[in-house]
Amino acid sequence: MEMSRKRNRPGLVSTSVLVLAAAFSCAPVVAQEAQPVYTMTVIIDAAHGQKVAAGKYDRAIAKLSAKRFSTDAYSDHTNLCVAYTKTGEIEKATVACEAAVAAMRKKPITRNKSFVPAHQVVANRMYLALALSNLGVLDVVKGESEAAREKFEEAIALDAKISAPKVNIARLARI
């Protein structure tokens, strides 16, 4: 399993965005041929991300599903997306991943006439790119390579300075 760690919370930009990349072997196993491993992102310092990172997927799902109110819907949905994917609950993972993307699409990713601090714009681009990359990995898991490629390309186009979508699209090119 391939791991990378960074640190951040939505709305705050720092050089240490603590996310855990959970690796997934998404292609059917073929004897003597290595399969590409894709990177999904967990928000470690929010929404029971440490449980997801530790492989306690059922516990994280139970905690996140029991929440009645959330001030950080993006992190909740992102971590649920990864936990559900790891437990094989693909339909629930899809709903969670799409909700994470939707949560970030509501936020400004460019500066316009209304005042949006530059650091917030950078954070919003990064989190949208991570959500799109996670959704792209889920598309690979479902066997939808072209949809995955589109999500990875959209994430890369955001110029969020993150590696996950670039790594994932390179891996997709190998299959």
Side-chain angles (χ1 to χ4, degrees):
M1 181 175 278
E2 199 172 290
M3 306 256 188
S4 69
R5 292 185 180 264
K6 298 179 182 178
R7 182 169 200 84
N8 203 339
R9 288 189 135 202
L12 301 175
V13 177
S14 71
T15 56
S16 55
V17 175
L18 186 56
V19 287
L20 171 74
F24 293 88
S25 181
C26 299
V29 177
V30 178
Q32 299 179 7
E33 187 174 317
Q35 299 302 314
V37 177
Y38 295 86
T39 301
M40 290 187 90
T41 305
V42 172
I43 310 301
I44 293 285
D45 60 349
H48 304 282
Q50 290 185 356
K51 287 179 182 67
V52 177
K56 299 174 183 174
Y57 309 117
D58 291 329
R59 291 171 91 187
I61 290 168
K63 291 283 189 179
L64 289 166
S65 298
K67 275 185 159 184
R68 295 176 191 204
F69 176 75
S70 176
T71 58
D72 186 3
Y74 169 78
S75 294
D76 290 350
H77 293 301
T78 297
N79 291 347
L80 273 172
C81 168
V82 176
Y84 280 135
T85 302
K86 290 294 280 184
T87 60
E89 297 180 68
I90 302 306
E91 291 305 314
K92 290 180 180 180
T94 301
V95 170
C97 283
E98 289 173 350
V101 169
M104 290 316 300
R105 286 201 192 278
K106 292 178 185 175
K107 299 182 183 233
I109 60 168
T110 59
R111 295 189 75 174
N112 56 23
K113 293 178 186 175
S114 63
F115 178 72
V116 179
H119 72 277
Q120 188 64 51
V121 170
V122 171
N124 292 350
R125 281 176 183 256
M126 179 185 70
Y127 285 110
L128 178 56
L130 291 173
L132 286 165
S133 185
N134 280 356
L135 189 54
V137 172
L138 192 54
D139 285 340
V140 172
V141 170
K142 295 187 292 188
E144 300 170 2
S145 297
E146 191 53 41
R149 181 179 325 286
E150 290 171 9
K151 305 262 184 352
F152 297 147
E153 287 173 353
E154 185 179 354
I156 292 166
L158 288 168
D159 195 30
K161 310 284 189 256
I162 58 171
S163 63
K166 294 172 189 169
V167 168
N168 288 335
I169 201 165
R171 290 179 178 147
L172 184 62
R174 288 190 231 155
I175 61 172

